[in-house]
Amino acid sequence: MALTAITNARVFDGEKTVGVQTVVIDGRRIARVGGDAPRGSEIVDGSGATLLPGLIDAHVHSAPGSLALALRFGVTTELEMQGMNTRENRGLISDDDTVADVRSAGFGITPPGGHPSELMPEGFRPKWDLPPVMPLMPFSTTPEEAAAFVPQLLGRGSDFIKFMIDDGSVEGHPGLPSLDQATVNAGVAEAKKYGALTVAHALTLEATRMAAEAGIDGVTHVFMDQPHTAEIISLIKDAGMFVIPCISLNASMMGITGSGLADDPRVAARLDSTWDQTLRSSYNRYPQGKLDDVYDTVRALDAAGVDVLAGTDVSMPETFFGGLAHGASLHHELQYLVAAGLTPARALRAATTTTARRFHLSDRGRIAEGLRADLLLVDGDPTSNISDTLNTRAIWRRGTRLAE
């Protein structure tokens, strides 16, 4: 197989800008960073462009065609926080370089009738074929039940364990059945016996506190029900947790649509009418929320040294899951993170090396010798103007260039 050499592009290696470097791809891996292009290699001239690691969306829910859509935006890996792409179901995905790679929690631990059931309209049925192996439904109401489900989920191919801590107050369903502290504690303790990563859905400050007290590794949202306090920031930091803010989801919950993003010709050209309509809609379940409070919280977390990861909570092309579209919304999330006060470089780390490190994806998230050749070449310099991440020139997944 011929070598590919990407020349004359400035390189952001996942941590920092390392200047103009030649990056050599050999098969599925990065063979070298720096030096001259090997004789006989295929040359990709990156003049005027920036080479980034393939982006990682740290919070998605898959839908038919969504992994292909994500890859068209340079998102080479998606982390599924509830869905069917567990190890037993994703063999074909792993070997298909026309779609994003995926890791999955399977289904989250929640009580019967608990989150996310309140989001589904009565009678709604997703429009896709069932997978070869249906994921386990770990409905739990006691510590014993939650603990018992953990090894079963891991045995069935879940890459991490998710807990739903949600009383429905943000979604307009107060009193929703929710896990209590003892049940979360027991499930997390059991997961630790197996060395499994744990995450929690938590949209309120109190749910975030519960997750921290249970020893959860990270929360998949930033709370939106009230401003942050110094106490909760310290609790998150001292617990060593990461946070996936999903500002784009919070904005949608507040009734803010993605119409501005959908109007961007760089986005519109890659969306069909169904996704365009979805992006132009919103959840609109918590209009009393204040986006400035969310920005302040994210800025405080970043200033405290908490690992902030880029994720969107994008789901299906349905207007009641509106304001989001696979791939496109991760670029929107990067813009939101910068609006919250992160530097463009820190936002880019949130979508590459920081997420790879926290989810133990040691083969990706950086541009370094020996790693997967998951790469995104964009015109301009997103370390100065984060919007430049949408200026796609070329995308590689495991060294295979995505057809334009």
Side-chain angles (χ1 to χ4, degrees):
M1 182 178 293
L3 302 178
T4 298
I6 305 166
T7 63
N8 300 319
R10 71 178 63 83
V11 174
F12 178 83
D13 68 0
E15 289 282 354
K16 61 187 182 302
T17 300
V18 295
V20 174
Q21 302 275 356
T22 295
V23 174
V24 179
I25 301 171
D26 184 359
R28 297 173 177 174
R29 300 283 168 177
I30 298 169
R32 196 177 74 219
V33 180
D36 297 327
R39 181 177 299 177
S41 58
E42 177 189 355
I43 303 297
V44 176
D45 185 5
S47 297
T50 301
L51 187 66
L52 308 167
L55 303 179
I56 305 172
D57 190 331
H59 187 157
V60 309
H61 306 278
S62 298
S66 62
L67 292 170
L69 179 59
L71 188 61
R72 289 202 293 274
F73 283 93
V75 177
T76 53
T77 303
E78 291 194 320
L79 303 182
E80 186 180 71
M81 290 296 156
Q82 173 128 318
M84 301 180 183
N85 290 314
T86 50
R87 282 193 303 276
E88 57 196 355
N89 285 327
R90 66 167 180 261
L92 295 177
I93 293 170
S94 298
D95 293 330
D96 186 351
D97 292 324
T98 67
V99 301
D101 198 13
V102 64
R103 297 293 182 272
S104 181
F107 279 70
I109 295 175
T110 193
H115 180 82
S117 62
E118 81 286 359
L119 297 179
M120 309 296 177
E122 187 173 353
F124 172 73
R125 294 290 182 271
K127 304 179 184 71
W128 64 70
D129 294 332
L130 295 178
V133 182
M134 279 299 295
L136 187 66
M137 303 291 187
F139 294 121
S140 302
T141 56
T142 68
E144 294 77 15
E145 287 175 338
F149 272 122
V150 167
Q152 295 180 62
L153 286 163
L154 295 171
R156 293 279 296 274
S158 291
D159 296 289
F160 36 90
I161 304 296
K162 185 175 183 183
F163 299 84
M164 303 293 194
I165 311 175
D166 194 331
D167 64 3
S169 56
V170 168
E171 298 93 336
H173 285 77
L176 193 73
S178 184
L179 301 176
D180 62 18
Q181 187 72 64
T183 302
V184 179
N185 289 353
V188 173
E190 186 70 13
K192 289 188 177 197
K193 293 178 184 178
Y194 293 87
L197 185 78
T198 55
V199 297
H201 164 99
L203 284 172
T204 65
L205 190 150
E206 181 55 31
T208 303
R209 185 191 310 278
M210 288 177 61
E213 291 180 356
I216 287 279
D217 290 302
V219 287
T220 63
H221 293 278
V222 70
F223 52 87
M224 58 188 299
D225 62 323
Q226 56 185 292
H228 72 274
T229 63
E231 177 192 11
I232 192 65
I233 299 298
S234 294
L235 185 62
I236 293 168
K237 177 178 173 56
D238 293 346
M241 293 166 62
F242 60 81
V243 176
I244 309 170
C246 295
I247 303 174
S248 45
L249 179 278
N250 284 11
S252 178
M253 293 288 283
M254 296 171 189
I256 301 169
T257 74
S259 293
L261 183 67
D263 287 338
D264 188 324
R266 300 172 297 177
V267 172
R270 291 179 251 189
L271 296 182
D272 64 20
S273 60
T274 304
W275 277 113
D276 178 81
Q277 183 181 18
T278 299
L279 188 55
R280 294 181 186 278
S281 306
S282 73
Y283 276 71
N284 196 28
R285 289 172 174 265
Y286 199 68
Q288 66 269 41
K290 298 179 180 179
L291 195 58
D292 284 343
D293 286 348
V294 173
Y295 284 159
D296 289 345
T297 300
V298 172
R299 187 162 53 251
L301 289 166
D302 181 59
V306 173
D307 280 336
V308 173
L309 281 55
T312 60
D313 201 8
V314 61
S315 184
M316 293 175 276
E318 302 283 354
T319 54
F320 50 85
F321 292 136
L324 304 163
H326 282 266
S329 290
L330 186 62
H331 295 269
H332 204 191
E333 186 70 15
L334 295 177
Q335 295 170 23
Y336 272 128
L337 289 172
V338 171
L342 273 66
T343 65
R346 291 181 79 83
L348 290 170
R349 286 198 287 274
T352 54
T353 185
T354 305
T355 296
R357 172 170 53 81
R358 292 307 302 247
F359 277 86
H360 311 304
L361 301 172
S362 59
D363 63 344
R364 68 196 71 189
R366 293 177 293 125
I367 298 177
E369 183 176 334
L371 298 192
R372 282 171 59 114
D374 290 352
L375 300 166
L376 171 60
L377 185 67
V378 299
D379 290 321
D381 181 8
T383 65
S384 298
N385 178 9
I386 196 63
S387 177
D388 284 351
T389 59
L390 280 166
N391 296 334
T392 306
R393 188 185 293 189
I395 298 162
W396 291 263
R397 198 263 204 184
R398 291 196 315 171
T400 298
R401 185 168 178 174
L402 186 66
E404 297 177 2

